[in-house]
């Protein structure tokens, strides 16, 4: 994917009017979306580059070890230790990649990525989704807001429903401690999303606020 | 053993090819993607196909290719290699088949011994699961299974982890330096504590029972 070229400086100046507020907001959203896509590209670059090279090195060392006479115990053991070290390097690369953009989020979407996250954090989170996809930005924003919330308190939220229609991702979290609303808002707003707290029914009018601990985030997606 | 190999990363593909040959296996097909592998296999079926999960056809060509292979050659073993060990993919893999199938990290098959052990177990019809992933599943059971797994003794947990890796009784005994008889006793105790049936004689069926048990609290799957 190519970045858009910078606008040329010598374009005949249009009558100078301040860009309209919606245009400014739209430009901001576009930049934000590009940032998320950039993160996803970085993860792929790690996977296809450094990680693959290190894995191939493990194989080459294995071949080398195989060619060392069996009587050379020390040398064989030393090669095994190098292979273990490379495994540790790869483990660290995986950790970093997961913080940039989780590969499972890229490949399989919010539902599977959130379930895997809950498993790793030993969180009792239940996730409902139908496998629909919403683009790197909206999915990334929701994933990282929930990851921060679960890291702070594995018990919040208890349940997350991922749904959406007409270019919009709708995430409903229940059993959430108050901090989650803020975390979601920070990630959703730059993308033009909204977050409502204490709303029980997604289809209810905005002023019917019931059910504390329920948070509904709506994020437009590409 | 006759082995086929599909992996889109050239460096890793070449490395694995050389290690397979050094281990004395006959590599009958080498491809950079699933479609290419299927075309090559048409004339020369093999014992085990080694598949990268994340390869063409994108995004997870290894899974699609495996389904096609199972359809055409139901007896061919399948070994999935990946840079990531995730239970999401493990479940997808077990949907494709529950015998002669394996899932391992790319950097964990880097010795002739491990590679051959993995391939042999798969060719013998067993399930082989990356130990890191089996360990995580046992240590992080879902929801209400937690208490039951917590009731196991340390030794029983060791046995359960090896069972989740797909090891047979003999394999578990060898790993823990105990007799197969002792392993049988531990397994009977584990199954009683978890409320599972012990009449599953075939070890890959037993692996499946254990994995399903550990994962059964997942919603939607």
């Amino acid at each position: 994917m190519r970045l858009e070229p910078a606008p040329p400086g010598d374009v005949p100046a249009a009558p100078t009017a301040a860009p309209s507020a919606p245009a400014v907001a739209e430009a901001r959203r576009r930049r934000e979306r590009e940032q998320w896509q950039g993160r996803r590209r970085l993860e792929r670059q790690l996977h296809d580059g450094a990680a693959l090279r290190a894995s191939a090195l493990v194989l080459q060392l294995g071949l080398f070890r195989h060619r060392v006479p069996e009587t050379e115990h020390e040398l064989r053991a030393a090669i095994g230790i190098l292979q273990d070290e490379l495994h540790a390097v790869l483990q660290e690369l995986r950790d970093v990649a997961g913080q940039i953009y989780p590969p499972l989020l890229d490949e399989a979407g919010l539902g599977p990525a959130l379930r895997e996250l809950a498993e790793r954090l030993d969180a009792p989170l239940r996730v409902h989704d139908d496998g629909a996809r919403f683009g790197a930005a909206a999915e990334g924003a929701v994933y990282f807001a929930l990851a921060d919330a679960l890291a702070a308190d594995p018990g919040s939220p208890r349940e997350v429903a991922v749904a959406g229609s007409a270019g919009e991702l709708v995430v409903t979290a229940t059993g959430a401690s108050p901090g989650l609303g803020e975390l979601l808002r920070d990630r959703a707003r730059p993308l033009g999303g909204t977050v409502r707290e204490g709303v029980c029914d997604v289809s209810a009018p905005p002023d019917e606020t019931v059910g504390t601990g329920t948070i509904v985030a709506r994020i437009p997606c590409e | 053993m006759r082995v086929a190999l599909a992996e889109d990363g050239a460096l890793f593909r070449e490395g694995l090819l050389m290690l397979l040959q050094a281990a004395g296996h006959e590599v009958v097909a080498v491809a950079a993607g699933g479609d290419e592998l299927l075309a090559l296999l048409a004339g020369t079926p093999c014992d085990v196909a080694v598949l990268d999960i994340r390869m063409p056809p994108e995004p997870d060509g290894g899974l699609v290719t495996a389904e096609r292979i199972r359809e055409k050659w139901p007896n061919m073993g399948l070994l999935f290699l990946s840079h990531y060990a995730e239970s999401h993919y493990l479940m997808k893999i077990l949907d494709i088949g529950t015998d002669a199938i394996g899932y391992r990290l790319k950097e964990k098959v880097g010795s002739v011994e491990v590679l051959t052990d993995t391939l042999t177990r798969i060719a013998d019809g067993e399930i082989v699961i990356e130990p890191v992933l089996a360990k995580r599943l046992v240590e992080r059971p879902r929801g209400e299974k937690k208490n039951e797994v917590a009731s196991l003794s340390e030794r029983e947990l060791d046995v359960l982890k090896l069972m989740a890796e797909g090891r047979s009784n003999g394999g578990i005994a060898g790993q823990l330096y105990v007799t197969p008889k002792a392993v049988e006793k531990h397994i009977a105790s584990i199954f009683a504590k978890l409320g599972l049936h012990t009449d599953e004689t075939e070890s890959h069926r037993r692996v499946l029972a254990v994995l399903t048990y550990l994962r059964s609290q997942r919603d939607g799957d």
Side-chain angles (χ1 to χ4, degrees):
Chain A
M1 222 171 284
R2 211 155 38 86
L3 285 179
E4 289 198 334
D10 56 351
V11 165
T16 46
S20 65
V24 170
E26 182 45 44
R28 190 173 169 219
R29 280 174 215 171
R30 199 183 58 234
R31 276 197 308 278
E32 189 70 14
R33 282 201 296 268
E34 280 167 2
Q35 282 226 11
W36 283 108
Q37 280 149 9
R39 287 173 75 145
R40 189 174 57 177
R41 273 197 302 277
L42 270 180
E43 183 278 319
R44 288 185 184 169
Q45 197 181 332
L46 268 185
H47 174 271
D48 297 342
L52 200 66
R53 272 176 193 278
S55 303
L57 207 50
V58 175
L59 298 180
Q60 282 158 16
L61 283 170
L63 195 60
F64 189 41
R65 182 175 171 276
H66 181 66
R67 287 176 181 162
V68 170
E70 276 184 45
T71 48
E72 299 275 351
H73 298 296
E74 276 179 32
L75 186 51
R76 285 187 147 229
I79 294 171
I81 290 169
L82 285 181
Q83 289 182 308
D84 291 344
E85 274 300 306
L86 278 170
H87 170 60
V89 167
L90 284 161
Q91 207 63 18
E92 288 182 18
L93 281 179
R94 281 187 274 267
D95 286 347
V96 171
Q99 289 169 52
I100 296 172
Y101 202 92
L104 194 59
L105 182 59
D106 179 18
E107 289 161 18
L110 267 173
L114 288 174
R115 288 190 193 100
E116 199 86 24
L117 176 72
E119 180 186 301
R120 282 172 199 239
L121 294 174
D122 208 7
L125 175 71
R126 292 181 69 88
V127 182
H128 309 275
D129 81 308
D130 62 0
R133 300 302 303 267
F134 304 95
E139 291 179 348
V142 168
Y143 177 89
F144 280 97
L146 286 166
D148 287 346
L150 289 167
D153 174 6
S156 159
R158 304 289 288 191
E159 253 176 84
V160 169
V162 178
S165 58
E168 187 181 54
L169 164 61
V170 182
V171 172
T172 308
T174 46
S177 52
L180 178 61
E182 203 53 43
L183 289 168
L184 273 169
R185 205 167 282 122
D186 284 350
R187 303 272 186 184
R189 265 197 186 144
L191 291 165
T194 58
V195 175
R196 283 209 318 253
E197 291 185 60
V199 179
C200 191
D201 180 2
V202 185
S203 58
D207 47 350
E208 272 184 33
T209 53
V210 278
T212 49
T214 299
I215 298 169
V216 181
R218 293 172 173 273
I219 306 178
C221 43
E222 317 91 292
Chain B
M1 196 177 306
R2 289 162 59 83
V3 181
L5 166 61
E7 153 73 55
D8 60 343
L11 264 180
F12 189 84
R13 186 176 62 237
E14 293 306 315
L16 193 54
L17 171 63
M18 288 174 76
L19 199 61
L20 282 165
Q21 287 169 338
H25 302 298
E26 186 189 348
V27 182
V28 298
V30 183
D35 294 341
E36 193 190 330
L37 184 79
L38 284 168
L40 289 173
L41 278 177
T44 50
C46 63
D47 300 310
V48 178
V50 181
L51 306 167
D52 181 18
I53 291 183
R54 203 177 182 180
M55 69 171 175
E58 299 291 351
D60 40 24
L63 298 178
V64 185
T65 307
E67 280 170 4
R68 292 183 192 148
I69 288 178
R70 272 284 141 110
E71 219 169 88
K72 276 191 172 170
W73 303 283
N75 296 325
M76 196 184 291
L78 298 167
L79 169 58
F80 294 90
L81 294 182
S82 175
H83 177 48
Y84 295 98
E86 314 207 76
S87 43
H88 170 75
Y89 283 118
L90 175 60
M91 295 305 136
K92 296 233 165 220
I93 286 166
L94 295 179
D95 279 345
I96 294 171
T98 55
D99 49 11
I101 206 157
Y103 178 28
R104 298 219 57 179
L105 279 175
K106 282 183 174 174
E107 82 263 23
K108 284 297 195 176
V109 291
S111 80
V112 162
E113 295 82 3
V114 173
L115 191 56
T116 295
D117 173 66
T118 301
L119 291 171
T120 307
R121 284 164 63 196
I122 292 172
D124 287 347
E126 293 185 23
I127 298 181
V128 178
I129 290 163
E130 179 59 43
V132 177
L133 181 56
K135 183 168 179 280
R136 199 193 309 145
L137 292 175
V138 169
E139 286 174 357
R140 299 260 189 273
R142 301 290 295 179
E144 66 209 35
K145 308 291 185 194
K146 263 190 190 72
N147 294 335
E148 285 151 27
V149 174
S151 73
L152 301 180
S153 72
E154 213 161 295
R155 197 49 152 184
E156 285 165 355
L157 275 177
D158 291 338
V159 173
L160 185 62
K161 277 175 204 164
L162 290 168
M163 277 167 70
E165 285 176 25
R167 298 262 172 198
S168 62
N169 286 14
I172 296 172
Q175 292 275 314
L176 296 178
Y177 301 104
V178 296
T179 61
K181 201 88 191 144
V183 171
E184 272 171 43
K185 245 182 74 188
H186 286 308
I187 291 175
S189 167
I190 292 168
F191 273 52
K193 285 184 183 174
L194 302 187
L196 289 168
H197 295 292
T198 37
D199 53 357
E200 301 286 11
T201 47
E202 269 185 284
S203 75
H204 70 269
R205 292 267 153 242
R206 195 182 68 191
V207 180
L208 198 62
V210 167
L211 293 175
T212 309
Y213 174 84
L214 293 170
R215 305 293 302 160
S216 60
Q217 288 303 298
R218 305 224 95 181
D219 18 67
D221 50 48

